[in-house]
Amino acid sequence: MILLILGILMWWATHMSKYVVPAQLSNTIKRLKMPLLIVSLLLIVFGFRASPFIHIWGPLGVLFHVNNLMMLCALYFVSPGPKKGALFYKMRHPMMIGISIWATAHLLVNGDLASILLFGSMLIWAITTMSVTNKFEPDWEPNPRGTVLKDIMYFGVAVLLLGGIGAIHGLVGPSPFLH
């Protein structure tokens, strides 16, 4: 569980550093950001896999279907679709909304301590990121309005990704489609 917590803390620190690090260190942080994020992801993945299963609560069966629908929405929002399409082009933080949906969906169906730490911290991180970005970068203009065809295209990609991710998920853990 220690590796998981270290990975989560490193993830937060790396992302929030641009708002709290003195200007003279910001260039160093920018150069180190990608390696730090990769290390934090590795710590999170290996820490999560190595964490003991500590049962906190069990999900209702119907929540697995809600999770799959939410994951489809999350995949769409983390795609370029909201910025390039016609439906959500005025949304400032589509990726953070997608991560919030992803984290919430996983919290609905995973009631063990490691999952609650991981997905709960990512949900709080996404919400915090939106709030801090709005505060420190108040001037923002939406992208020009795209086409509904782009929305449909990216939604189709989200459907394909959901199938692929679900298949891989089923190989390394429980299948999200067999509940």
Side-chain angles (χ1 to χ4, degrees), residues 35 90 173:
K90 288 187 178 182

Side-chain angles (χ1 to χ4, degrees), residues 76 81-82 84-89 145-156:
Y76 173 77
K84 297 183 181 230
L87 300 176
F88 300 103
Y89 72 98
R145 186 174 192 265
T147 65
V148 173
L149 188 59
K150 291 238 182 193
D151 287 311
I152 293 169
M153 179 186 73
Y154 284 111
F155 186 77

Side-chain angles (χ1 to χ4, degrees), residues 4-62:
L4 173 62
I5 293 168
L6 285 174
I8 291 167
L9 291 173
M10 183 182 277
W11 176 269
W12 270 74
T14 304
H15 279 94
M16 293 299 164
S17 65
K18 77 181 212 178
Y19 300 112
V20 295
V21 170
Q24 59 267 33
L25 289 176
S26 67
N27 285 336
T28 303
I29 296 294
K30 283 180 187 174
R31 281 194 313 273
L32 294 174
K33 187 172 185 173
M34 192 53 65
L36 288 172
L37 288 175
I38 290 169
V39 169
S40 72
L41 281 173
L42 290 171
L43 286 170
I44 288 170
V45 168
F46 289 112
F48 183 80
R49 300 288 292 171
S51 293
F53 184 84
I54 300 171
H55 181 80
I56 306 295
W57 64 274
L60 300 171
V62 70

Side-chain angles (χ1 to χ4, degrees), residues 69-140:
L69 181 59
M70 290 176 73
M71 284 305 302
L72 180 59
C73 295
L75 288 169
Y76 173 77
F77 280 112
V78 298
S79 80
K83 290 185 175 189
K84 297 183 181 230
L87 300 176
F88 300 103
Y89 72 98
K90 288 187 178 182
M91 183 183 286
R92 182 167 186 182
H93 304 287
M95 184 171 282
M96 293 299 115
I97 296 293
I99 291 169
S100 297
I101 294 168
W102 166 81
T104 302
H106 281 76
L107 284 169
L108 290 176
V109 295
N110 294 287
D112 63 289
L113 183 58
S115 294
I116 292 169
L117 285 172
L118 173 58
F119 301 117
S121 68
M122 290 299 147
L123 175 59
I124 294 167
W125 168 74
I127 292 167
T128 302
T129 297
M130 289 185 278
S131 177
V132 169
T133 302
N134 289 343
K135 180 180 179 182
F136 285 96
E137 301 169 17
D139 299 327
W140 175 79

